[in-house]
Amino acid sequence: MAIGVIAALVATLTWVILHLVAMHIRPTPHRMPAMTRAFLLALPLVPAIVFVLWRNPEWRAALAGIEHPGAAYGMGVLLHVLFYFCYVECFYHVERAVTLRMVIELLEHPGGPPTLDAMLAHYPVDDMVRRRLEGMRDAGFVRADGGRWSLTPKGRFFAAAMRISSFIFNSKPQNERIP
């Protein structure tokens, strides 16, 4: 399994670094598809790295009788997929975090610290909700019909998956965590 872990780490670091460089060189508003493409392009690296490491006599001797090659391939692919989900979660946690954006704005605000009214002008709640719904609509998760918002099949699948994920990890929405 050690070879699979190393292969997954190397493949994941490769696509994450290349993805971040690409986003700095040529940013795209559709980052999720870009991340997924980078992940899928790097997926064949995992078995290739496992193959190279497994053929190395020192590695094979160190793991003789301990690790089956199938376990290395399986662990490598499984971890690579899990690292993808972890990266996506971390990426969007940082990119979408309102608190993070506010802290940076406070740091970079021209003319000194802004007033509460100035901050409220940049972060009106109704505008945030509208922009989030429009973003989800553009991504194909929701649709607007006569002023009402409903889930698309893609949105229903995602919501069901997140409900299961929330149950498994005993996570709560932000409105339930804030006193």
Side-chain angles (χ1 to χ4, degrees), residues 6-18:
I6 292 167
L9 284 171
V10 170
T12 300
L13 287 174
T14 300
W15 80 260
V16 166
I17 290 168
L18 291 174

Side-chain angles (χ1 to χ4, degrees), residues 145-163:
D145 294 320
R148 294 185 177 268
W149 294 87
S150 59
L151 293 170
T152 63
K154 178 181 176 181
R156 273 193 293 286
F157 175 78
F158 182 71
M162 290 303 98
R163 181 186 295 157

Side-chain angles (χ1 to χ4, degrees), residues 68-85:
H68 187 275
Y73 288 106
M75 181 61 71
V77 170
L78 174 65
L79 280 177
H80 188 64
V81 170
L82 293 175
F83 288 150
Y84 164 74
F85 287 119

